[in-house]
Amino acid sequence: MIDAKRRFSVPHPLVLLTGCVILAALASYVVPAGQFDRELDEATGRSVVVAGTYHSVERSPVDLFDAMVALPRGMAEAADVIFLVFLIGGAFTVVDETGALKRGVTSLVRSLKGRDLLVVPIVSLFFATGGVVENMQEEIIPLIPVLLILTRRIGFTPLVAVSMSAGAAFVGSAFSPINPFQVQIAQNLAELPLGSGGLFRTIFLVLALALWIGMTMRYAALQRTESEHVEDSDDAGIDGKDWVIFGLVGATFVILVVGIGSWGWDFDHMSAAFFIMGLMIGLLAGMGLSGTAEAYVRGFRGMAYAALLIGFARAIFVVLDDGRIVDTMVHAMFTPLEGLPLIASSLGMVVAQTAIHVPVPSVSGQAVLTMPVLVPLSDLLGMSRQVVVLAYQYGAGLCDLITPTNGALLAILAAAGVRYEDWIKFTVPLYLALVALGAVSIAIAIAIGLA
């Protein structure tokens, strides 16, 4: 029995990602090289592909040494995300060392005594909102230790902590009517009004979250263990200073939402906001500049592994791009859809977007890569461009729940101590149900002529 379990266990995340990098290098020797022409899109400020310009180019195979060189290059290309992880981790280490979070968790557990299963929808809706409004992913990593304290106090497993944080956020992102990194950039590229189809998307967002939260609650109840005893030292309730700290944390997230939606903020702006938050909270709590700095250093240490996973995951795309086979994969995925009936073509887009998201784990990068190719195809087929955006959202967005090339997911699982195969066993049935819900959404959109 033990041997069987070992045989089917997933390798360590760093081994898994390094293996994917090597596979990407091998693919560069087999897959024909090709590229689309690109031009600057003024609406998004990004370089986008030009539909109908795919052409073969000279092979550029990536040898084993260059594949290993891609690992630090992946770290460099993901630098903005990695620094965000470090600075968020440092900031929330400061918050944690004030004791406010532990007192807040204890207070929440006591207030829900006998009804503590309600923690699941409360926490899930918070993270789902983050997914809906700002594609929350890496920001979840430093919050996992706090969630583990909460779940231990109630008797839930660590997997529940991941499900009601990362899982809820990813579902919220995929079904969001306003996510600037997914639906808004895709609608821009499809030349659709921002927010169009919002009510339609909101209906399916509610259904998707109800499914995810309901099944998470069911799992939490079935897998419940004996709750952790609350120590006497935690008896002190939340004081006025704690409320100010919570207010600063909440205000920071509000500013992030406004900054991303209205001020054009990127990861660097977000990093700065979290750094300022941690500094203010450290000084407010009486930690002083040196004490706050030391807390930041401890936070940086705690985030080092997560940063490595994100960088290694980015290296996969670096190798594929060096081998000039990313565009070939996109061209091969979408060309066969031209001859299919409308509904089959739209569902084929979901499958293709899912497959492409494995080597291209950036949702915004995937939108820039695929939408300019799919929009002319949809016009040729007489398909609403809104349907193309839905197919992209459900294909790429939901794939974040399961793909091993999503560095943020692997970092979250590592922080929670949840094995990837355990997460897959829990998630895949829900993932398939959500994809089916997305297929229903697309079919209805085609039937009603959603524009």
Side-chain angles (χ1 to χ4, degrees):
M1 182 65 71
I2 294 176
D3 290 339
K5 288 183 178 179
R6 287 178 179 172
R7 191 179 303 123
F8 292 105
S9 64
V10 176
H12 187 282
L14 287 178
V15 175
L16 180 65
L17 291 175
T18 303
C20 289
V21 169
I22 294 172
L23 284 175
L26 293 175
S28 69
Y29 285 89
V30 179
V31 179
Q35 287 183 339
F36 289 99
D37 293 336
R38 283 169 168 76
E39 63 183 10
L40 180 66
D41 182 77
E42 295 183 0
T44 62
R46 296 168 179 261
S47 177
V48 301
V49 304
V50 179
T53 62
Y54 177 80
H55 56 280
S56 297
V57 296
E58 184 179 353
R59 282 185 177 274
S60 179
V62 180
D63 61 33
L64 181 60
F65 182 74
D66 285 337
M68 295 302 99
V69 172
L71 295 176
R73 287 177 59 203
M75 298 288 290
E77 291 204 7
D80 53 353
V81 179
I82 289 172
F83 283 122
L84 173 65
V85 169
F86 274 126
L87 289 170
I88 293 177
F92 275 98
T93 298
V94 173
V95 177
D96 183 51
E97 294 191 4
T98 66
L101 290 175
K102 290 182 179 178
R103 288 189 289 273
V105 166
T106 301
S107 179
L108 176 61
V109 171
R110 286 182 177 144
S111 66
L112 292 174
K113 197 66 177 177
R115 297 167 293 147
D116 41 22
L117 197 60
L118 292 177
V119 163
V120 175
I122 292 172
V123 174
S124 295
L125 288 174
F126 169 78
F127 284 98
T129 301
V132 168
V133 300
E134 60 108 352
N135 204 63
M136 177 182 272
Q137 287 202 8
E138 290 81 8
E139 302 92 319
I140 300 170
I141 299 169
L143 297 175
I144 290 297
V146 180
L147 291 174
L148 291 177
I149 294 172
L150 175 60
T151 52
R152 281 197 301 267
R153 293 279 169 88
I154 300 174
F156 295 158
T157 66
L159 192 147
V160 175
V162 177
S163 180
M164 62 185 186
S165 56
F170 294 173
V171 173
S173 297
F175 284 85
S176 172
I178 59 173
N179 183 344
F181 294 99
Q182 288 194 35
V183 64
Q184 286 193 11
I185 190 172
Q187 287 184 328
N188 250 326
L189 293 168
E191 299 179 349
L192 292 169
L194 295 184
S196 57
L199 177 60
F200 182 87
R201 284 183 173 82
T202 300
I203 292 171
F204 283 91
L205 169 65
V206 172
L207 293 174
L209 287 176
L211 172 63
W212 185 269
I213 294 172
M215 294 308 292
T216 301
M217 292 177 71
R218 179 176 180 272
Y219 178 87
L222 291 174
Q223 300 295 323
R224 192 163 191 167
T225 60
E226 185 177 351
S227 60
E228 183 180 89
H229 177 64
V230 179
E231 301 292 341
D232 293 339
S233 59
D234 293 328
D235 283 343
I238 302 175
D239 58 25
K241 188 179 291 186
D242 291 341
W243 284 116
V244 175
I245 291 172
F246 295 149
L248 286 171
V249 174
T252 300
F253 278 102
V254 171
I255 291 171
L256 288 178
V257 172
V258 176
I260 292 169
S262 303
W263 304 335
W265 276 19
D266 56 19
F267 288 116
D268 292 338
H269 294 90
M270 296 166 66
S271 296
F274 279 111
F275 177 75
I276 294 170
M277 180 197 82
L279 179 61
M280 292 176 62
I281 289 174
L283 296 177
L284 173 67
M287 298 170 65
L289 289 175
S290 294
T292 302
E294 289 170 359
Y296 262 99
V297 171
R298 287 189 286 274
F300 296 159
R301 290 195 193 106
M303 291 295 106
Y305 178 41
L308 279 173
L309 291 174
I310 292 168
F312 273 50
R314 184 65 64 89
I316 299 168
F317 178 79
V318 170
V319 171
L320 293 173
D321 191 48
D322 285 350
R324 299 181 179 181
I325 60 176
V326 174
D327 290 5
T328 300
M329 296 165 67
V330 172
H331 179 70
M333 287 287 181
F334 292 130
T335 300
L337 302 179
E338 296 180 9
L340 297 178
L342 199 59
I343 185 65
S345 179
S346 60
L347 296 180
M349 288 180 185
V350 175
V351 174
Q353 292 282 17
T354 301
I356 291 169
H357 195 62
V358 176
V360 187
S362 166
V363 286
S364 58
Q366 185 167 338
V368 168
L369 181 63
T370 63
M371 291 304 295
V373 177
L374 288 177
V375 167
L377 175 60
S378 68
D379 292 344
L380 179 66
L381 296 173
M383 180 190 298
S384 166
R385 295 185 178 188
Q386 205 70 256
V387 171
V388 177
V389 176
L390 289 173
Y392 153 74
Q393 283 186 264
Y394 302 149
L398 288 175
C399 189
D400 274 333
L401 287 166
I402 59 172
T403 177
T405 57
N406 181 354
L409 171 63
L410 293 187
I412 291 166
L413 292 173
V418 175
R419 293 181 63 83
Y420 177 70
E421 57 263 41
D422 293 335
W423 173 251
I424 288 298
K425 182 179 179 181
F426 166 78
T427 306
V428 165
L430 286 175
Y431 167 76
L432 294 175
L434 290 168
V435 171
L437 180 63
V440 171
S441 167
I442 288 173
I444 293 175
I446 292 174
I448 66 175
L450 182 67

